Structure formats: C-alpha cells, structure tokens
Amino acid sequence: MIDGWSVARALTDPASVTRLDAGAWTQLLSAARAASLIGTLAELMADRPVPYPAARVLADVRLSNQTGLRQALWEAECARLALADYAGKVVLLKGTAFAAAGLDAAQGRSIGDLDILVAREGLDQVEALLLKAGWEWVKPDPYDDAYYRQWMHELPPMIHAERDRMIDVHHTILPLTARPKPDAAALIADARALPSGLHVLSPADMICHAAAHLIADGDLSGGMRNLWDIDRLVRQFVAEDAGFPDRLAERAALHGLGEPVERALRLCYRLFGTPAIWPIRPAVSDALYLRRITAIDGWGRKTRKLTRQGFYIRSHLLRMPPAMLARHLWTKWRKGHRG
Amino acid sequence: MRHACFLTVGPARFRIGSDWRAPIDQLRALYSDYPMDEVVPDFTVRLQATSALRRFVRPQVAIAGDFTLPDAVPLPLHHGLLAAEMAMNLQMALGWRRHLLLHASAVSRQGRAVVMTGVSGAGKSTLSALLAERGWRFLGDEFVLLDPETGNIAPFPRPISLKNAAVAAMEHEIDDDSRFGPVLRDTPKGTIRHLRPRTEWIEQMARETRPGLLLFPRFGFPRAVRRMDEAESFVRLTQASTNYVALGERGFDALTGFVRSVPACAIDYATGDEGAELVERLWSETGAGAGDRAAAA
Amino acid sequence: MAEPAFAALPGHALKRVTLGGLEAAYHAPSGITHLLAEPLPDLLDALMRLAPGRFATSAEIVSGMSDRFELLADSPDEAPERVVCERLCELAALGLVRMHGQA
C-alpha cells in the first residue's frame, strides 16, 4: 500500500523506485503530487532510468518547475523594484527565498505566493509602495481586514492587478496570538543580503521559521513538504558550517521556538533520515504527527480523517486563545446567516 | 477507490476512480472504442462523495484529482458522466505541458486541419461534429493540441459534448442511436448528450496533421467573412489557450509560428449548413489570401 | 539627479517576432509576452545597434536613429529626446530595457 512513507522512501533513496512496476508508479506519482513533492521527485529522478510512461509525466513536471521558478524570481524582482524607496531590509521567505539564495531546498519545490518580511514600523510605507506599484487588496471585507491587522503576523493578502500574483507581507513569522513570540527585529537584523539587494533569513532562522510554520501555524496539511525543506536546509547548513547545530540552538532559544525546532528535527530524522544534529529525545506524540503527515493514499487522497480533524481543531486553538476563537467563529457564523 | 477505469485519448492517458459504479460503467460504454490499457497515466481523476453520508443520501459527486479548482461545484450522481468529462477537461486545461492547448475544435482533410476557436456557444463544437459526418476527419471538439517542436496538431478526439439545440440537430444528422451517450438533462449547461466520433477517427488518433486554416466562427449571425491579421489572431489565441503562460518560450514559439503559418478568418453564419458550407469554401480556396478572396466575394 | 540612460537586455532575454504591423516580444525573465506597436520595436533596434550592453541617454539614441528615421513629435514643442525618453521609461518599467538614473 502506498502512503506518505512511500514518497519519503522515493525521495531519500531514488535508486529504489527505478524498479517499480506501472501500478506502483501510478500510485507513487499521485501520492507525491498530493504531498506537493512531485516537483522534487521529478528533479531527483532526472538522470535515472524511469519507465517511459512515468518518465514523460516527470518530464512535464520538470517543465512546470522551470515555469514556477521563473515566475517566483520575477515576482521577487518586481517587489524589489516596487520597494526601491523603502530603506529597510526586504526579506524573502519560504520557497522564493530558497530559490533566490540558490539553496538545495529550492530544487523542484513548488512556490506559491511571494512572502516577504519587513519591520513592523515599515508596514505602512511598504503597503503604500505596493499599492502604488499595482498590487491591490484581495479581500474587501472590513471584518477580515481588521482581523488580519489586529491579530495576524501579516497584512491582508494583496494581488497584483496585471500579473495576477499574490504577495503576503509579514512583520513577524507567527500570528500575534500564538504562544511563541519570535524576535522579529532579530530575524531582520540577522538577515543575509543577496546580490540583488533583497535579503533572506540567516540559516538558523530559516530552520526556525520552517519549524514554527509546521508545528504552530498550520493543520500539518503541507507537513511532508515542510519537513523536506528542513531536511534539505539542515544537510546543506551542517555541511557548510560545523558550528551550525549550536547556532541553531541559540536562535531557537531566542525566538522561543526550541520545542518546535526540536520536534521538527525529530520528525525529519524519522521520515527522511536527516542527520541528528541535536540529541534525539523521542516523544510519544511523534507517532501521531507522523501518522497525520503521511496520511495520503495512492489516489492522492488525504486519508485518516479523524486524525486530521483533531489537528485542525488543534491548529486553531494554537493560533488563538479560546475567547478570541469564539469571537472569530461567531462573527463568521453571523455573517454566514446574513448572507 | 472502489471503482476505476483507464482511458487513452490522443496522447493523454487518464485514470478515473469513483466512489460509485454508475459513472465508470457509463464511461466504459461511451469510450468503448478507446484504448483502456492500465498504463501509468498522465492524470488521475477522482469522483468522490462530498461526505461519507453523501455516498448514499442524495449523492453529490465532487470533482477531484491531480489538478482541481477550489470552487468546483459538485454535481448530482445522475450527472456523474458529466463530472468525469469535466474533471478530465480540467486536468488537460491545468496540467498538460506537452502541447500548446487551444480551446478550439478541429477537423482535417488531405492532411491539413481547420482549427475553429471561439467562446463557448459560438458553435465551434457543433460545426466540427457536422463536418465530421460529411467527409472530414474529426480531431477534437474541445482542445486542439499544437506540438511546439513540429507545429503539428495532435488529435484529441473525445466524444463530442452536444448542448441543447445541437443535440436534436445531430440526432437528425445521424441515424444511429448507438453513437450517442445518455441524455443528461438540467445540467449547469442545460441538456447535454455525448456523440461518439466515428471509429476510424479514434483508430487514427495517434496520427498528427498539419494546421491549414484558422477560423473564429460565430453561430446565429448573418453570413459574413472577415480576414483576421496575425496580431489579432495571436491575442485571441493567447486568451483561448489554457497553458500558454505555463509553456513559457515554447508556447510563444508555437503560437507565433502557428498564426504566421495559417490564414485566419472570422466567420459568421446563421445555420449549421451555412457554416459547414463556408468552411468548405474557405478550405477549397486555401493558401495565402483565401480569406481576402472570401471577404471580397 | 543624473539623466536616465538605457541599455538593451542581453539577446536571450527578449525574443521578438513580427506579427503583421505589430511585434510580439517574449520576455524570458518574467515569461510575459508583450505586444509592441510603433515606434517601440524601432527603439529597441536602435538601442541594440547603438550600444550593445552599454548605457546611452535618449539624446544619443535619437542622434543614432536620425540617419534612418525622420523623428517628428506629435506637437512641435515636444523634443524628440523627451518622447523617446518617455517611451523608453515605459519599456524599462516592463523590464524590457535596462535603465540607470532617474530624471
């Protein structure tokens, strides 16, 4: 039976899948697509013998990878031009950052919206400059707008009128309602400049961000891809800097993200055999996380609905204290009935 | 999934899974002339219940698969065949990368194709169906696949999706009920009935053909022919393509090459017969200036 | 502030095809196709001829074009340099030419 573990095996040991039969390839491709990892699989298999019908699917995926990469880098360039008059650092986040910095994690990674981080005191100017350069609000709803501005870690999403691409402007990496309070000023102060003048997070902060995103800021639905990011980043950063594990420990402590980072490193170790750069102290709940994260079948369906439901409720609770959650749901409910 | 089948249409291979038996049985019947080998597919399509309960109680078919739209509306189970067709179209529109995809119909004669494009309801589908019964080879009524390397058209001869008045028109044209699928009433697009292409066009679906003429038909207007220049054709076709942007430079090469290599005309016609006759005439005058002569006539 | 200066993109970054009276231009870094009308293709040609890889002001570009074109502004008090400069600024905003300095 195919599930997320099969995808993990294919990624960590690409030679093992060259022997699969047509039926297994069919299921593997669907599961990898559902996990948003088919782009990565396609790049890893590029120089290996793959049976023809599967090879042509993977060849198409590689073409899509090229398009996605080009579009993401161009969006970053457009944001750079639009924000030329902003004196502070513009820090690229997530996939666009990996791509712009030429990291291994960018290989075959699907990249969605453009995510950038700027200092909170610079938000007004950044917002004004983006509006002037052709971006506009996606949600005209004043309640959602107020909600974003009051509680979230980002401006309400904006979309470029002509290019039809979204930008998320963050001023920190977790919602303000979440328990851990990452040090946004330190994230920006330690960010590294790229030749273009744009910035990316420091290596240790990149891992902190990915871990925070996985554990505290989502329902784990993109969990495998997120862990794969961390796997690639850890392998590359450790190879480049022997002192990286200690540096990561310092930064994780600074941001109050020691626990999420440790959890993410453990899950990566279990799923992808990522080098154990910190001592592994297994937790009982790891099994539940992995069960949820690998809940994909050979038709590309998300399976294990009950586990997922548990995580969905949990992810909302983590983001918002209960009273606030009630207010949020009530407003939504009221709106639903008005409409 | 509980029920499944594999289908090959032109160069594209599909795997369709379903929570119910009926849509799969209907697909097997409608596609009985097409290859059904269990090969690694290009796309997986899922027809699934909107919830566990909904598999039995007023069942609703949610369209899912490799590529999905977040706001796709589920269909009732008795429109399951339509859901499958829509899901397959969606995979092609969003996921196909081997060819430049044009939302168009096409027929050919003597190895050269007429490509007909226009908004839904402009009559391109019905016109291709009519011509395919009058000696033309049927290449497809929904998508035209342009090979970026060769400039050739790869046939994609799916069953033709006839809508509303076109159903009766084609039933009148073809005296063979076995060529038609079940009548689907009250769909979001009205009444729909599928028409199976002649077996020979399905058997020949791996054989590519050269493009020869580009038409922008409009049904229900007084007869008129207008020559269209390359730039206007180009702009209209970028809007009629679902993967032009995704193909990047290959798409640019394919589309500029296409509009520079074929004459193009906008044609208005009042009846199907008039449309078919106009296509025949423009075709016989084929070559550079065909549109100019037609417009002057 | 310095007078703006312009340079053509490297050849592989912009692919141009004539379509009747217009020109379709594929901009590789963005993947966006632009449709260019007169006089934009001529300006791009002039830029490529005049200073491959080097920056030139609109005045230099105009003098480079004057042996091939008779440059006439729509209104007599509009200097051709200014019109050319405006068009080039528009092209720069789309990423189709490179620009240094701002007027």
Side-chain angles (χ1 to χ4, degrees), chain A residues 9-29:
Chain A
R9 252 192 315 280
L11 295 178
T12 49
D13 183 12
S16 69
V17 295
T18 54
R19 292 184 299 273
L20 295 183
D21 64 15
W25 265 111
T26 299
Q27 297 192 51
L28 176 65
L29 292 174

Side-chain angles (χ1 to χ4, degrees), chain B residues 216 226-237, chain C residues 22:
Chain B
F216 295 83
R226 175 173 71 86
R227 179 72 204 246
M228 196 173 288
D229 70 24
E230 291 170 2
E232 187 181 353
S233 300
F234 179 80
V235 171
R236 285 215 196 188
L237 290 177
Chain C
L22 299 176

Side-chain angles (χ1 to χ4, degrees), chain A residues 70-79 114 135 160 163 165:
Chain A
R70 187 185 63 221
Q71 284 180 336
L73 292 177
W74 182 251
E75 269 319 288
E77 172 66 9
C78 290
L114 173 62
W135 276 271
H160 195 275
R163 293 193 308 278
R165 300 277 294 185

Side-chain angles (χ1 to χ4, degrees), chain B:
Chain B
M1 299 189 77
R2 276 189 180 74
H3 310 279
C5 69
F6 286 73
L7 294 177
T8 299
V9 184
R13 300 161 194 192
F14 299 90
R15 173 175 66 143
I16 299 124
S18 171
D19 280 341
W20 307 271
R21 185 184 189 92
I24 298 295
D25 284 348
Q26 288 177 331
L27 275 174
R28 284 188 195 279
L30 187 61
Y31 284 84
S32 57
D33 296 331
Y34 295 74
M36 296 192 178
D37 314 284
E38 294 201 10
V39 290
V40 178
D42 296 299
F43 300 116
T44 289
V45 164
R46 304 192 307 265
L47 307 176
Q48 56 193 36
T50 47
S51 74
L53 188 63
R54 283 293 189 142
R55 197 155 73 82
F56 307 103
V57 186
R58 270 179 284 125
Q60 292 273 308
V61 184
I63 296 170
D66 289 343
F67 296 88
T68 50
L69 288 178
D71 47 1
V73 183
L75 292 172
L77 180 56
H78 63 271
H79 292 158
L81 182 61
L82 181 63
E85 293 275 315
M86 285 168 66
M88 288 160 70
N89 278 346
L90 193 65
Q91 305 311 308
M92 289 300 287
L94 299 180
W96 193 253
R97 294 290 179 272
R98 260 163 264 160
H99 299 87
L100 180 72
L101 221 69
L102 301 174
H103 188 220
S105 66
V107 292
S108 74
R109 187 183 262 177
Q110 292 154 6
R112 301 219 305 153
V114 187
V115 175
M116 296 173 280
T117 184
V119 294
S120 293
K124 60 179 167 22
S125 182
T126 314
L127 201 48
S128 69
L130 209 54
L131 290 164
E133 298 305 318
R134 299 180 180 182
W136 294 71
R137 178 183 174 203
F138 177 72
L139 303 173
D141 83 316
E142 184 75 27
F143 294 122
V144 166
L145 277 51
L146 272 185
D147 187 320
E149 272 72 48
T150 62
N152 287 343
I153 291 173
F156 188 67
R158 284 259 312 277
I160 302 155
S161 161
L162 302 168
K163 294 175 195 83
N164 302 316
V167 176
M170 290 312 295
E171 284 168 349
H172 178 74
E173 181 86 12
I174 301 169
D175 192 22
D176 176 2
D177 204 52
S178 72
R179 294 273 308 279
F180 293 91
V183 181
L184 306 169
R185 293 183 207 284
D186 302 319
T187 78
K189 290 175 178 174
T191 298
I192 288 182
R193 192 170 194 196
H194 290 97
L195 168 64
R196 289 152 40 143
R198 289 168 185 256
T199 314
E200 58 206 287
W201 308 141
I202 299 168
E203 285 167 357
Q204 293 178 26
M205 70 186 178
R207 194 161 56 84
E208 298 190 344
T209 179
R210 295 295 301 167
L213 180 63
L214 170 62
L215 296 177
F216 295 83
R218 268 200 323 170
F219 169 73
F221 290 85
R223 177 187 176 120
V225 177
R226 175 173 71 86
R227 179 72 204 246
M228 196 173 288
D229 70 24
E230 291 170 2
E232 187 181 353
S233 300
F234 179 80
V235 171
R236 285 215 196 188
L237 290 177
T238 57
Q239 290 159 356
S241 172
T242 58
N243 67 356
Y244 173 74
V245 173
L247 255 54
E249 190 167 344
R250 290 163 68 233
F252 179 81
D253 292 344
L255 197 55
T256 51
F258 177 60
V259 299
R260 282 158 60 104
S261 71
V262 296
C265 295
I267 60 169
D268 292 356
Y269 57 97
T271 66
D273 284 339
E274 191 175 48
E277 184 256 316
L278 254 180
V279 175
E280 298 266 4
R281 222 184 91 208
L282 288 169
W283 180 252
S284 66
E285 294 171 358
T286 198
D292 293 333
R293 284 195 298 277

